[in-house]
Amino acid sequence: MNRHLVSAADLSRDDTVLILDTAAELASVADRPIKKLPTLRGRTVVNLFYEDSTRTRTSFEAAAKRLSADVINFSAKGSSVAKGESLKDTALTLEAMGSDAIVVRHPASGAPRRLADWVSGRVINAGDGTHEHPTQALLDAFTIRQRLVPGADRRGKGLDGIRVTIVGDVLHSRVARSNVLLLDTLGAEVTVVAPPTLMPWAIESWPCKSSYDLDAELRKTDVVMMLRVQQERMSAAFFPTVREYRRRYGLDTGRMALLPEHAIVMHPGPMNRGVEIAAEVADSPRSTIVAQVANGVTVRMAVLYLMLGGATEETA
Ligand code: CP
């Protein structure tokens, strides 16, 4: 594996399958009365968050603590960042306090890559602007494999031939970009569906198909992954009204009925209930949204374990 995890493109198929297999092994820890392994005792993980987060920050914290690492949670709000301190100086300050890995979320695309040039520890991208969110893609791949790849032992397996449709605000979505890259690496067939205004202009260069017709795609997919409409990143009007967006690209119970019987519904969260996804769909038995959150902890445990050099026998 690479020294840092900045992009899903940093991961080969073997790397990715190793992470998924390790996560599957570590998942049993969550079922134990004492959910801890001594693997990363003495290591320090810094959560360096310049942007809001519920799932990613707390799941990295839970993952690090379950592996017995020390965790420092840094939020730009209330720190010397407000006095003008740069990302580089903040990171070097935290590294001087003994951090071994920095988990960074930043509104600027490319910030984790720059950070990786400045620090000697590991850097893990927890979401940078509209660029990438590789651990979200890993937990999504883990969830798809868990639900759709048959057999109790899925070890060593990718997602060959599984059809995934990613729907919505692809233009602003780091989740979509990382998922397209990682799912392609694992052998899935990916289609992105978006209104023309929310389709990236260079979509032809992505390893996926694209479409504007959601209903046609739903009939032939195994997974539909709904994306949040990111109003906070929209500097212009990308669609006439929320009602119009919902009518063309929202997943309601009527549309969900178009899916094959075995198909699952995913969303990375946070959701805009009633916009891209109806509440009845989000809460339906087909929805894997809560499972995705739970899998986020085990997948992030696997990433920390592999990147910080845990010994294989200690997972047993
Ligand atoms: N999916 C995701 O990244 O959620 P948070 O913004 O809550 O971390």
Side-chain angles (χ1 to χ4, degrees):
M1 269 176 68
N2 281 0
R3 179 165 185 74
H4 307 290
L5 178 53
V6 171
S7 163
D10 294 339
L11 298 169
S12 67
R13 181 177 170 117
D14 285 351
D15 293 336
T16 308
V17 170
L18 176 64
I19 293 169
L20 302 188
D21 289 353
T22 305
E25 197 164 326
L26 289 167
S28 62
V29 176
D31 300 329
R32 294 182 191 176
I34 297 172
K35 298 177 176 47
K36 258 194 189 276
L37 292 170
T39 316
L40 297 184
R41 194 186 291 146
R43 302 300 189 102
T44 299
V45 175
V46 171
N47 276 330
L48 179 59
F49 275 61
Y50 283 76
E51 217 187 53
D52 296 342
S53 168
T54 299
R55 282 148 284 270
T56 311
R57 192 188 63 71
T58 51
S59 66
F60 265 113
E61 181 175 357
K65 285 181 173 171
R66 283 186 193 172
L67 294 172
S68 303
D70 295 321
V71 179
I72 298 172
N73 284 316
F74 175 94
S75 167
K77 282 179 199 145
S79 75
S80 289
V81 171
K83 301 174 196 164
E85 188 157 54
S86 68
L87 173 63
K88 180 175 183 178
D89 288 333
T90 302
L92 292 178
T93 299
L94 293 165
E95 196 165 59
M97 294 179 197
S99 79
D100 296 292
I102 296 179
V103 176
V104 60
R105 171 168 288 193
H106 202 283
S109 299
R113 187 73 75 196
R114 293 292 290 139
L115 193 59
D117 293 335
W118 295 326
V119 298
S120 54
R122 307 299 182 107
V123 172
I124 301 171
N125 182 0
D128 61 328
T130 57
H131 178 225
E132 283 221 39
H133 195 352
T135 59
Q136 178 70 45
L138 284 164
L139 75 87
D140 290 339
F142 183 86
T143 305
I144 295 169
R145 193 173 79 156
Q146 188 180 55
R147 293 297 174 109
L148 295 181
V149 174
D153 188 1
R154 301 166 185 91
R155 275 170 211 219
K157 292 189 180 162
L159 301 176
D160 298 288
I162 291 183
R163 299 162 300 177
V164 182
T165 305
I166 302 177
V167 184
D169 185 359
V170 181
L171 182 68
H172 298 105
S173 178
R174 54 199 180 202
V175 172
R177 190 181 294 267
S178 286
N179 258 300
V180 168
L181 292 169
L182 195 85
L183 292 169
D184 176 66
T185 298
L186 289 172
E189 296 166 13
V190 186
T191 303
V192 296
V193 177
T197 50
L198 290 172
M199 189 71 86
W201 63 270
I203 194 70
E204 303 76 28
S205 64
W206 294 30
C208 63
K209 294 182 193 153
S210 63
S211 167
Y212 303 126
D213 186 348
L214 178 55
D215 291 353
E217 297 303 324
L218 289 179
R219 291 185 171 88
K220 54 185 183 189
T221 198
D222 303 306
V223 178
V224 58
M225 187 182 292
M226 302 307 295
L227 300 173
R228 184 170 69 87
V229 174
Q230 300 196 30
Q231 299 277 8
E232 76 279 15
R233 296 195 204 276
M234 293 186 187
S235 54
F238 285 84
F239 45 84
T241 61
V242 167
R243 190 172 164 188
E244 177 66 8
Y245 182 87
R246 187 170 52 219
R247 192 177 69 77
R248 295 286 305 279
Y249 294 98
L251 190 63
D252 57 14
T253 48
R255 277 221 166 93
M256 188 168 67
L258 299 175
L259 289 166
E261 209 169 316
H262 67 275
I264 59 172
V265 175
M266 307 183 79
H267 193 303
M271 289 180 277
N272 295 309
R273 285 176 182 250
V275 182
E276 70 269 3
I277 189 165
E280 306 78 48
V281 175
D283 299 332
S284 76
R286 281 169 178 263
S287 163
T288 62
I289 295 166
V290 175
Q292 286 169 260
V293 176
N295 290 338
V297 179
T298 44
V299 165
R300 287 169 177 134
M301 283 173 78
V303 168
L304 291 172
Y305 172 79
L306 292 166
M307 289 186 69
L308 292 177
T312 308
E313 57 272 18
E314 289 180 54
T315 58

